[in-house]
Amino acid sequence: MSTTKAQSMIRQHGLSLIELLVFIVVVGVAVTGVVSVFSLNARASVDPAIRKQAMAIAESLLDEVLSKPYTYCDPDDPMTDTAANVAACTIPEGLGREVAQNETRYSAANPFDNVNDYNGFTMNPINDITDTTVTGLDLYTATVTVQPVANFNGIVPAVAGDNETLLVTVTVDAPNNQTLSLSGYRTRYAPNF
């Protein structure tokens, strides 16, 4: 019976002080690693909100620009609906806003009325939002560029001197040095083309 007693005493062996200290150190290092990952994620969790807001601003402005007409003549020209080329216009449409007509995005009397009018337009900061519940929009800026695309990869016929397709790019600068750009194409609408 003495051998059984000796074997049972060996099985009841507990942890030594060194083993306990090693266990505490290993668990402490693991917990520190997990907590630091959670801390890093918590600090970076604001970035998706900033990117989502920048995306909403860019989409909204791009939709606004692309919804405007793109014709040979300025929409104020009586020949707008019938002109088959730029030569038929009394007020040809060009890149940039019509300064002589005092067009601005914010004017009720003379608003931007063509895709070209938005070329070079900048909202710095985004301050024309009437909803005061959205805070922090003054930290964002938006810029629109409109560039002619010649022949649009052979899909739209090229006409000498005319650019039938425009590439519209909206770039939003957001906090934390984030930049987002969205682009879209707009082809010319001319009923007699």
Side-chain angles (χ1 to χ4, degrees):
M1 218 171 248
S2 63
T3 57
T4 316
K5 234 180 186 190
Q7 288 176 349
S8 68
M9 288 185 106
I10 293 174
R11 284 188 212 140
Q12 294 178 3
H13 185 319
L15 293 174
S16 71
L17 182 60
I18 293 176
E19 291 171 331
L20 185 61
L21 287 175
V22 169
F23 173 77
I24 290 172
V25 168
V26 169
V27 169
V29 168
V31 167
T32 303
V34 170
V35 169
S36 67
V37 168
F38 283 131
S39 175
L40 180 64
N41 284 340
R43 279 183 291 186
S45 67
V46 176
D47 291 343
I50 291 172
R51 186 154 179 86
K52 195 169 191 176
Q53 183 63 51
M55 180 68 84
I57 293 167
E59 285 177 342
S60 174
L61 193 52
L62 184 62
D63 286 346
E64 176 184 331
V65 174
L66 294 178
S67 71
K68 299 295 181 185
Y70 176 45
T71 56
Y72 290 112
C73 306
D74 184 79
D76 297 328
D77 189 330
M79 299 297 293
T80 298
D81 292 333
T82 58
N85 56 40
V86 176
C89 302
T90 53
I91 308 172
E93 184 62 42
L95 282 177
R97 69 183 183 95
E98 285 76 35
V99 178
Q101 297 165 338
N102 201 25
E103 291 183 348
T104 68
R105 179 176 183 253
Y106 308 103
S107 172
N110 297 316
F112 286 166
D113 55 6
N114 201 298
V115 174
N116 286 321
D117 295 341
Y118 286 87
N119 187 42
F121 174 72
T122 300
M123 294 172 73
N124 184 13
I126 307 293
N127 59 3
D128 65 342
I129 307 294
T130 56
D131 184 0
T132 57
T133 60
V134 181
T135 58
L137 288 179
D138 56 335
L139 302 173
Y140 296 82
T141 60
T143 306
V144 179
T145 57
V146 179
Q147 301 171 328
V149 178
N151 201 11
F152 195 51
N153 297 327
I155 298 171
V156 178
V159 177
D162 294 329
N163 296 302
E164 300 304 317
T165 306
L166 297 175
L167 172 63
V168 179
T169 304
V170 176
T171 303
V172 176
D173 292 320
N176 298 338
N177 296 323
Q178 293 189 28
T179 301
L180 175 88
S181 291
L182 291 181
S183 297
Y185 290 97
R186 182 72 163 89
T187 56
R188 188 184 309 273
Y189 171 74
N192 294 327
F193 182 64

